[in-house]
Amino acid sequence: MREIHVSAITDAVKKLCMEANYDLEVDMLRAFDRALQTERSPAGRQVLQILKDNAAMAKTKKIPYCQDTGFVICFVELGQDVHVTGGALSDAIDDGVRQGYTEGYLRASIVRSPFDRVNTGDNTPAVTHVDIVRGANVRIMVMAKGGGCENRSKYKMLTPADGLDGVKDWILECIKTAGPDACPPLIAGVGVGGTFEKAAILSKKALFRELGSPNPDPAIAAIEQEMLDRANRLGIGPQGYGGDTTAFGIHILTYPCHITSLPVAVTIECHAHRHKEAVL
């Protein structure tokens, strides 16, 4: 049994929160470059270049890429041969968020209750999902999820009779109704199957796949590409100014489901797709 002290988890989360807000991952930067090669709209190209320049300034100056520094979503893959010592895993993650957002001068966007709307002052708590996996490592995946695009995420319980065409239509409807409010070019994480809550979690987790990489399942990869092509024919374009680049990617995860059900969740992510991960 391998022991990992909570302080190591806190330090990792603190660093990931700060880096996610300052330094976009290379998959996002490549997405900007690809879009600049194909975007035909002058306004669209101008917006894409501004976003790319903004990313460079954020990294150089160590300032947030976006003023909305997000709700911290944390996926943890906890090896079954790991014993976390010195405290609770959830407390360690929240301590990391607290330190990262306070010391990194990142905006506190979380209120303690959906009703009294009192700000917690340090962007805690995070939303944490833990999976027990084989091995003796801890993989921590952090996303700083902006409020505007999160508000455009949707869920629908389709029937089996709706089938694949129903799933496709719902994905496109979510992207169309998100429009400029989701700060496109957007990424859609899609969870299909499971139960009410499982589909939603899958839709979030799907966003951690490297942007531009094909789905391991060729059949689902073909659906993703079809939906991406259809989304980019909507004409919404970068930041809603019109153009060919409404979406950077569509990522789908599936799970077995009940014979009477076809749940579909779509998490909308904006161009500030701030995600980082570390393995302890």
Side-chain angles (χ1 to χ4, degrees):
M1 181 69 71
R2 180 187 174 207
E3 292 189 352
I4 296 180
H5 195 271
V6 289
S7 60
I9 294 168
T10 294
D11 289 345
V13 172
K14 170 186 173 180
K15 182 179 179 181
L16 293 174
C17 287
M18 294 170 69
E19 289 183 349
N21 277 286
Y22 300 154
D23 186 8
L24 293 193
E25 284 286 285
V26 292
D27 60 343
M28 288 304 301
L29 299 177
R30 285 197 294 261
F32 287 132
D33 289 336
R34 286 195 299 268
L36 282 166
Q37 296 296 318
T38 58
E39 179 58 65
R40 293 174 295 177
S41 163
R45 286 198 303 273
Q46 183 180 15
V47 169
L48 288 166
Q49 188 61 54
I50 289 171
L51 296 178
K52 184 180 177 183
D53 293 343
N54 184 58
M57 284 192 290
K59 180 177 181 178
T60 301
K61 298 179 180 293
K62 298 297 181 187
I63 55 177
Y65 176 84
C66 177
Q67 50 82 25
D68 181 354
T69 54
F71 204 140
V72 176
I73 313 297
C74 188
F75 281 88
V76 179
E77 293 180 355
L78 180 64
Q80 62 186 10
D81 296 325
V82 171
H83 179 208
V84 176
T85 63
L89 175 63
S90 58
D91 291 341
I93 291 169
D94 283 346
D95 284 344
V97 173
R98 181 177 298 108
Q99 293 178 26
Y101 274 72
T102 302
E103 297 177 27
Y105 300 100
L106 304 173
R107 193 182 82 181
S109 302
I110 307 307
V111 294
R112 70 183 185 185
S113 163
F115 302 122
D116 67 24
R117 313 303 293 185
V118 175
N119 200 297
T120 63
D122 55 18
N123 221 61
T124 63
V127 171
T128 301
H129 306 284
V130 180
D131 289 323
I132 305 298
V133 299
R134 295 176 183 271
N137 293 325
V138 178
R139 183 186 182 195
I140 303 172
M141 296 174 282
V142 162
M143 179 191 305
K145 188 71 170 66
C149 56
E150 181 71 4
N151 289 345
R152 290 303 182 180
S153 302
K154 294 184 178 182
Y155 178 94
K156 190 171 187 177
M157 188 66 82
L158 300 177
T159 67
D162 291 314
L164 178 56
D165 286 341
V167 173
K168 292 178 180 178
D169 290 344
W170 176 241
I171 295 170
L172 197 66
E173 177 68 15
C174 291
I175 294 171
K176 181 187 290 186
T177 56
D181 294 348
C183 292
L186 55 82
I187 306 160
V190 182
V192 184
T195 53
F196 184 92
E197 79 283 3
K198 183 65 174 181
I201 293 172
L202 288 173
S203 73
K204 279 287 196 305
K205 196 167 187 178
L207 292 170
F208 282 94
R209 195 179 88 218
E210 182 181 349
L211 188 59
S213 63
N215 193 296
D217 184 328
I220 296 179
I223 298 169
E224 290 179 340
Q225 186 59 54
E226 176 191 343
M227 296 312 303
L228 180 59
D229 292 341
R230 291 175 64 181
N232 284 330
R233 288 197 296 269
L234 292 173
I236 297 168
Q239 294 293 282
Y241 284 98
D244 305 303
T245 320
T246 296
F248 278 148
I250 313 289
H251 292 185
I252 300 174
L253 281 178
T254 65
Y255 198 82
C257 61
H258 193 276
I259 57 173
T260 65
S261 302
L262 182 55
V264 185
V266 179
T267 291
I268 301 294
E269 176 72 308
C270 66
H271 65 82
H273 179 36
R274 295 158 296 186
H275 62 102
K276 296 285 180 180
E277 66 176 80
V279 177
L280 303 180

